[in-house]
């Protein structure tokens, strides 16, 4: 949502206050240890090696004069390689988010080290399992990661490995304590940063490292600031910045025509990442590889913790996302209503206001699935309570909204008003689950309610306690139609350094905040998710979070925080969401309309058009913003926005399929073009258009006054604009109209099939029984294929096999609609296929169309418009099987 | 072939085309074919309501949700028929009171037409009653406005001679007052002169050295042995340029011979001779003080000199801004005291003759003040009437009765006031000052909205404003106050003023 400055400063100031946030030079360890642009120091030598843990881990001892002895653990996992490094004999333990039993259980699967084949010769020591190998030079500790003998990446290639030796306090050492503005960090353990470089060989393009507003392709940082990962509540953030934002995933994907691969630097402390692209002539890892190749250098620097590096081999980006989400958890399969349209505002004032907004959607024939309540719904910012004056009868209010198949969401933040008469405050105090000051006293900071305590979500007991609060009997007036939004979970502390928590604050097991900062928000969302499961085990939870980290994808969506009502922010939503998608975080969105300020109706309309084609589709606005529900600007704007929102509902069956695919394999619904065209180098920097799955190409208008858009159609493939039957298929480059009466330009890739629902109801749940339309685009061989996913849309029964996964293929003559090999068993009683639309069929009508289903055959009628064939009423069940023959 | 749905059986259940009103049934004549109502296409009769959209205008699917742009007709027998969006057919929500929209059987829709009819009928009767009553009241308002207008006009017509008369009275009283005051002034001056002479004579009894010190003490208000600018400026009679209204520091410096501080010696030598004439009549109190101190000093046990009493430790003198301010305040007080002395209090020595003159002046002043007030009252009343005559009170002057009248709406937090032609305010229920939501701007939307603008500015936002939406009602009542946008308030206000003439109630209720 927003931040202290909303209270303290002027909203009219339309820029982030950079002085509130650290640059590398303001952070002592970054300033001290950012050695990316310098040459490495004398390298560590491997002085000892042994296989441990049943020959599954290679332990190396690394030594060099003047620096601490290091212990490196090398292993090969089913999903990639892992390198852990820490001191041989640390003065005290370093935080490891993955020490088992893990405090956070960040690694889900695929992390078991495999039995290793060891090879030691010619000054190198190698371990191999399956196709993957880690080969280390004994003379200078440099480790190459290869897959099927092809070198992918090299760790410590530039000898930038550095672990600051933990030591007793030395009062003469100036770097012991640290000040930022008026805040002092006592830093009782002194400097303790860790750093290393990773070079991707044969790579010119890196992606990932969300969340930043810089270009989608990660920029060369030599000249400027590194990418900063440190979850912060940044007031009025700006575009084209590498400043830290609300969430961070220390994950980089490399892509080249030959291969995709990736690295995860699993560290929950503040992390800075430098990027540099190196021409083949200047490549340094080439002594490992067979020739001079372009390289992408990365340098990772964290304030504390251990080095825990995961290298994923790919070789496709789909496999990279699969490997990463096997390791860190598969994305949640959202309840289908969560993939529809959300209406939010800070704040819907009271119950009549909610009723009116709810009613207005029906009056204006605009579908909506969720109405949201921001902080003002509470009794004095006490979460889990209701303002007794403005929301005296929440049950009735929620029931009224739910009567149209809709849901409601209330905000529940992790800061708790200090008030002994507030049951949450006193309950959590009694349970002793607040974060503590160094002396052991309860930590208090300022947030929305004023003086607040912060629940320690890194403590499993705290998460358990928190989850209990969501039981229907505990959260008064909650209902099965009420879900949750966790905001301010970076955590935001108005009077803390950089609007967050002091780093010497103490968490569970005595860990300092600096060690766990990046995981705090994850814990909030996870505990809330678990609370919803507790109250109703078979319903899919829905929890929106602002902060995120590795693994957030399991617990629900995130949004990009407090953007502005500006064209530049509309445009920036694409690279921001694409970066999240390739980093394993698929269910993401940006506030439609822009949170701060007042969009002109044209901007709002264009934002609705684009938002309808992004995974999480929610309109939201600041307290001081004027009302801007889609009907506020009246006609012709209402009609334009209505069309945009209805387009989302029409394509919900496609979203179902994409989210399911994401849940099963980690691939994002919203993809950069190169995701589907890995060899198409001209697509590597494209961030003005993108694809949904491998099916639709989306080319929005993001400039004021423009009524057309230049579209690049990749791969020489033909693309059909949806609903434009008289227009020939596009390929190459073309200018496409996007006028006031038109939808956002969206194109169906030749060779693909997807399902739509053409009957738009008041909410998505009311469309459950409705028939589907099959949309088919023929490729040059008159072939096409696609997958369809059906389940009950809201429960976990699909996990018991109650789902239907269809494979649809057309071979030029026959359309085969049948179960895929991965299907479960699910019957939709009522939904049937009402129409089949075949783009690129040709202008002459077929002689006959025959359908066979369940042993019966019958003829179907059809009609040709332009070159599209419309087949009337197959009337076969959506979850059944049939064959259709066209002659 | 296995048919999947209940749809087919339902579609052909009767000859009547589902979703089409009786009057429009004729558009779907029996036969083998049907032509889309827009004429765009000819389809078989079986394709009507077969749950597939064939016609671009949606006319082939009036009874299903197949077409995106159609309307479904609910007969709602016993209540008002209704045309709903056909996307609401078979969507699991009962929209028609007869349940006809949910013929697919996904949900059970009980027939609620009778209940709804009764409720709506009762509501309609109420509304009609309210409209009739409201319109009657409106008539009253119009009549009252007419009377008011007439009375205003009469008052205005009568006002001119009345004001002339009052002016005449005032002028006469003014003349009498001036004459009486002239006498009074003369007497005052005489008495003043007598008094001054007494003081001057008494002063002459002191030695030059003593009287100059007495004058010094008089001027040295804080008795610290030195005279500074403030102590001079507080003595208005010392102003070398009395014609200028203020006695400035610069002018005081002139008196002080451009010195910052004057000590007694310098005073005697340089200042005293020049101001003696002006100051000597002011020294009565200072001479009393002098004499008292001399007496005290002469008492055997306390051989103190007057100077010692006035001595102030120089070190403790505080020249901070605050203390200078305080000093100034102190001097101001003394100045007031000095001024008060000037119109001499003659009471104890007034002769009867003098007393009469003073009484006469006082009486003349009162007569004048009364006359003046009467005239001003009459004028302001007239200007109010003139003001009113320029105001727009809407059709038939119906809003005239609301001029400067206030209405309230109470929530648990605030009391909202609405004062047409004046302002809107929001006051906290438990006391505290009100916040102005806007000043009268005028009517909008054909006298159905009142607008108030330019209220108190919101922090970080616009000036507050309020729109009052008027609806017909028997009484003037604020129904609700909301804030749809931040700092933009909306009142719902029921008033007979906007009631329109009710249609004659039909014998047959057409609900």
């Amino acid at each position: 949502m927003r931040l202290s400055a909303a209270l303290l400063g002027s909203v009219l100031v339309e820029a982030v206050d950079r002085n509130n946030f650290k640059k590398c030079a303001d952070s002592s360890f970054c300033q001290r240890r950012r050695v990316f642009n310098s040459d490495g120091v004398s390298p560590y030598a491997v002085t000892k090696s042994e296989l441990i843990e049943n020959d599954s881990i290679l332990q190396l001892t690394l030594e060099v004069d003047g620096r601490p002895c290091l212990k490196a653990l090398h292993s090969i996992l089913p999903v990639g390689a892992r390198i852990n490094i820490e001191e041989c004999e640390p003065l005290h333990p370093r935080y490891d988010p993955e020490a088992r039993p893990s405090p956070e259980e960040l690694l889900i699967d695929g992390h078991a080290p495999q039995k290793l084949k060891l090879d030691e010769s010619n000054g190198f020591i190698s371990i191999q399992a399956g196709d993957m190998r880690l080969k280390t030079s004994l003379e200078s500790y440099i480790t190459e990661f290869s897959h099927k003998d092809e070198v992918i990446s090299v760790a410590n290639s530039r000898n930038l490995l550095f672990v600051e030796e933990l030591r007793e306090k030395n009062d003469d050492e100036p770097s012991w304590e640290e000040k930022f503005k008026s805040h002092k960090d006592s830093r009782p353990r002194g400097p303790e940063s860790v750093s290393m470089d990773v070079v991707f060989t044969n790579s010119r393009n890196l992606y990932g490292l969300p969340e930043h507003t810089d270009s989608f392709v990660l920029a060369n940082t030599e000249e400027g600031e590194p990418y900063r990962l440190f979850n912060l509540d940044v007031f009025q953030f700006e575009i084209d910045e590498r400043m830290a934002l609300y969430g961070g995933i220390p994950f980089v994907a490399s892509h080249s025509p030959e291969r995709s691969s990736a690295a995860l630097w699993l560290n929950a402390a503040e992390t800075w990442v430098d990027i540099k692209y190196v021409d083949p002539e200047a490549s340094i890892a080439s002594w490992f590889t067979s020739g001079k190749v372009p390289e992408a250098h990365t340098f990772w620097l964290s304030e504390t913790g251990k080095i825990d590096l995961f290298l994923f081999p790919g070789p496709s980006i789909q496999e990279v996302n699969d490997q990463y989400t096997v390791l860190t958890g598969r994305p949640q399969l959202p309840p289908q209503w969560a993939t529809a349209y959300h209406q939010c505002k800070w704040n819907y004032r009271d119950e009549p206001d909610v009723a009116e907004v709810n009613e207005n959607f029906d009056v204006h024939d605009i579908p909506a699935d969720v109405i949201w309540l921001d902080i003002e719904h509470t009794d004095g910012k006490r979460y889990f309570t209701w303002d007794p004056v403005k929301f005296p009868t929440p049950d009735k209010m929620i029931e009224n909204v739910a009567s149209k198949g809709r849901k409601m969401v209330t905000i529940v933040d992790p800061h708790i008003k200090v008030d002994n008469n507030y049951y949450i405050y006193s309950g959590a105090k009694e349970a002793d689950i607040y974060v503590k000051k160094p002396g052991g006293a309860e930590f208090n900071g300022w947030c929305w309610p004023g003086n607040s305590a912060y629940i320690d979500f890194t403590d499993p007991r705290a998460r358990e306690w928190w989850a209990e609060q969501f039981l229907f009997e505990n959260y008064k007036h909650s209902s099965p139609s009420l879900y949750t939004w966790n905001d301010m979970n970076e955590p935001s502390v108005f009077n803390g350094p950089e609007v967050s928590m002091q780093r010497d604050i103490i968490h569970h097991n005595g860990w300092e905040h600096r060690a766990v900062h990046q995981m705090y928000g994850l814990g909030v969302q996870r505990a809330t998710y678990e609370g919803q499961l507790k109250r109703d085990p078979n319903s899919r939870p829905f929890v929106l979070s602002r902060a995120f980290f590795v693994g957030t994808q399991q617990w629900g969506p995130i949004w990009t925080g407090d953007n502005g009502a500006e064209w530049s922010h509309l445009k920036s939503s694409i690279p921001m969401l694409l970066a999240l998608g390739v980093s394993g975080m698929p269910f993401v969105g940006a506030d439609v309309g822009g949170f701060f300020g007042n969009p002109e109706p044209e901007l709002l309309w264009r934002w609705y058009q684009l938002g309808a084609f992004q995974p999480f589709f929610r309109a939201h606005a600041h307290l001081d913003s004027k009302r801007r529900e889609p009907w506020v600007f009246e006609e012709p704007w209402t009609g334009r926005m209505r069309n945009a929102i209805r387009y989302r509902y029409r394509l919900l069956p496609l979203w179902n399929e994409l989210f399911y695919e994401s849940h099963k394999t980690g691939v994002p619904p919203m993809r950069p073009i190169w995701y589907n065209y890995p060899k198409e180098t001209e697509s590597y920097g494209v961030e003005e258009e993108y694809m949904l799955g491998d099916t639709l190409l989306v080319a929005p208008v993001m400039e004021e006054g423009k009524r057309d858009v230049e579209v690049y159609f990749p791969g020489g493939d033909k693309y059909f604009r949806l609903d434009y039957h008289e227009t020939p298929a596009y390929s190459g480059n073309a200018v496409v109209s996007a006028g006031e009466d038109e939808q956002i330009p969206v194109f169906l890739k030749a060779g693909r099939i997807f399902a739509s629902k053409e009957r738009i109801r008041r909410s998505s749940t009311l469309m459950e029984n409705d028939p589907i339309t099959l949309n088919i685009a023929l490729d040059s061989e008159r072939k096409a294929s696609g997958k369809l996913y059906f389940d009950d849309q809201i429960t976990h029964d699909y996990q018991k096999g109650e789902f239907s996964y269809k494979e649809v293929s057309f071979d030029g003559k026959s359309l085969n609609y049948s179960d895929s090999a991965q299907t479960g068993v699910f019957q939709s009683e009522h939904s049937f296929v009402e129409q089949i639309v075949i783009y690129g069929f040709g202008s002459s009508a077929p002689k006959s169309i025959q359908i066979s289903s369940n042993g019966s055959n019958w003829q179907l009628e059809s009609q040709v418009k332009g070159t599209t064939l419309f087949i009337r009423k197959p009337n076969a069940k959506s979850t059944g099987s049939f064959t259709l023959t066209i002659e | 072939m296995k048919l999947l749905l209940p749809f087919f059986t339902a579609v052909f259940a009767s000859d009547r085309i589902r979703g089409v009103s009786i009057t429009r049934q004729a558009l779907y004549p029996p036969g083998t074919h049907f032509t889309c109502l827009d004429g765009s296409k000819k389809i078989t009769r079986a394709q009507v309501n077969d749950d597939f959209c064939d016609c671009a205008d949606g006319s082939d699917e009036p009874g299903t949700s197949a077409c995106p742009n159609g309307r479904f007709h609910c007969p709602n027998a016993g209540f008002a028929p209704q045309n709903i969006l056909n996307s609401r057919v078979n969507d699991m929500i009962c929209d028609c009171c007869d349940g006809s929209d949910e013929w697919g059987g996904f949900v059970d829709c009980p027939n609620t037409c009778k209940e709804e009819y009764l409720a709506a009928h009762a509501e309609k009767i109420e509304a009609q009653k309210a409209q009739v009553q409201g319109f009657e009241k409106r008539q009253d308002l119009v009549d009252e406005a007419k009377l008011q207008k007439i009375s205003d006009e009469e008052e205005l017509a009568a006002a001119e001679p009345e004001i002339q008369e009052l002016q005449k009275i005032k002028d006469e009283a003014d003349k009498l007052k001036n004459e009486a005051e002239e006498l009074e002034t003369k007497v005052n001056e005489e008495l003043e002169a007598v008094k001054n002479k007494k003081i001057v004579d008494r002063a002459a009894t002191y030695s030059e050295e003593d009287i100059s010190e007495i004058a010094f003490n008089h001027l040295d208000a804080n008795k610290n042995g030195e005279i500074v600018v403030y102590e001079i400026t507080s003595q208005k009679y010392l102003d070398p340029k009395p014609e200028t209204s203020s006695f400035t520091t610069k002018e005081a410096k002139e008196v002080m011979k451009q010195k910052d501080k004057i000590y007694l010696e310098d005073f005697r030598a340089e200042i005293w001779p020049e101001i003696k004439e002006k100051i000597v009549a002011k020294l009565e109190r200072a001479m009393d003080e002098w004499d008292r101190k001399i007496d005290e000093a002469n008492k055997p046990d306390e051989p103190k000199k007057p100077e010692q009493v006035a001595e102030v430790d120089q070190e403790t003198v505080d020249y901070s801004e605050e203390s200078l301010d305080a000093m100034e305040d102190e001097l101001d007080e003394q100045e007031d005291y000095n001024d008060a002395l000037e119109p001499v209090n003659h009471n104890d020595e007034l002769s009867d003759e003098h007393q009469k003159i003073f009484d006469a002046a006082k009486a003349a002043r009162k007569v004048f003040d009364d006359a003046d007030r009467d005239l001003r009252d009459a004028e302001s009343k007239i200007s109010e009437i003139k003001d009113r005559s320029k105001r727009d009170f809407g059709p038939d002057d119906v809003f005239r009765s609301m001029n400067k009248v206030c209405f309230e709406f109470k929530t648990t937090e605030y009391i909202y006031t609405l004062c047409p032609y004046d302002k809107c305010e929001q006051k906290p229920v438990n006391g505290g000052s009100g916040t102005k939501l806007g000043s009268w701007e005028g009517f909008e939307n054909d006298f159905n909205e009142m607008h108030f603008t330019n209220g108190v500015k919101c922090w970080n936002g616009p000036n507050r404003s309020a729109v009052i939406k008027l609806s017909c009602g028997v009484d003037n009542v604020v129904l609700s106050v909301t804030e749809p946008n931040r700092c933009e308030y909306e009142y719902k206000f029921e008033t007979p003023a906007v009631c329109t003439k009710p249609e004659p109630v039909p014998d047959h209720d057409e609900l």
Side-chain angles (χ1 to χ4, degrees), chain A residues 641-814:
Chain A
M641 294 180 209
R642 176 195 296 122
N643 287 342
I645 297 170
R646 289 169 67 98
Y647 213 173
R648 172 66 166 224
Y649 280 76
R650 184 180 170 200
L651 298 192
L652 283 174
L654 171 64
W655 284 103
N656 282 351
E657 200 276 313
L658 294 174
F659 277 111
Y660 180 69
E661 213 181 318
S662 193
H663 172 61
K664 293 311 278 184
T665 69
V667 298
M670 178 174 169
R671 302 173 189 174
I673 287 170
W674 60 261
Y675 208 101
N676 300 326
Y677 294 89
K679 291 187 188 306
E680 180 124 326
T681 52
E682 50 278 45
S683 72
Y684 291 178
V686 171
E687 54 180 50
E688 293 78 30
E689 56 189 74
Y690 60 90
M691 295 189 72
L692 289 190
D694 189 21
T695 302
L696 297 183
L697 179 78
V698 180
V701 175
M702 299 184 289
E703 269 176 64
E704 188 172 4
K706 271 199 86 169
R707 294 294 179 263
D708 55 28
V709 59
E710 291 126 69
V711 187
Y712 149 62
F713 298 93
D717 283 332
K718 281 195 296 179
Y719 279 84
F720 295 88
R721 186 168 188 185
L722 285 182
D723 301 330
Y724 287 66
H725 306 294
E726 313 290 339
T727 315
Y730 294 95
S731 63
N733 291 285
V735 174
V736 176
S737 69
E740 288 88 345
D741 301 327
E742 291 181 285
Q743 293 279 21
I744 179 176
V746 169
F747 308 88
L748 174 57
K749 181 176 171 179
R752 301 293 300 154
I753 298 176
F754 78 97
S756 60
K757 282 195 174 180
E758 304 293 326
R759 306 181 186 193
I760 313 301
R761 310 288 194 167
R762 279 166 280 194
S763 66
S764 72
T765 47
L766 304 185
M767 293 160 65
E768 190 188 334
N769 295 322
D770 283 340
I772 61 166
T773 290
L774 288 181
N775 301 275
I776 300 172
L778 300 185
D779 66 11
S780 49
E781 294 170 352
R782 298 184 68 77
K783 287 183 179 167
S785 64
K787 285 190 169 171
L788 273 55
Y789 176 76
F790 304 93
D791 65 15
D792 65 19
Q793 308 187 341
I794 47 167
T795 76
H796 285 125
D797 289 346
Y798 73 94
Q799 292 171 345
K800 295 181 260 171
E802 293 182 23
F803 66 96
S804 172
Y805 201 33
K806 294 287 166 195
E807 213 158 47
V808 189
S809 61
F810 185 70
D811 64 4
K813 199 179 147 205
S814 302

Side-chain angles (χ1 to χ4, degrees), chain B residues 11 54-55 59 96 102 118 122 125 129 162 166 177 181 183 225 249 276 299 327 347 401 407 433 440 471 477 479 496:
Chain B
V11 167
D54 292 290
C55 297
S59 57
C96 305
E102 290 301 312
L118 291 174
I125 296 293
K129 228 158 72 184
E162 191 189 330
L166 288 170
K177 185 190 78 158
E181 283 181 340
L183 280 175
T249 304
K276 185 177 174 178
K299 279 181 191 165
M327 208 185 294
N347 282 348
S401 64
F407 307 95
S433 57
W440 176 255
S471 60
V477 191
L479 298 176

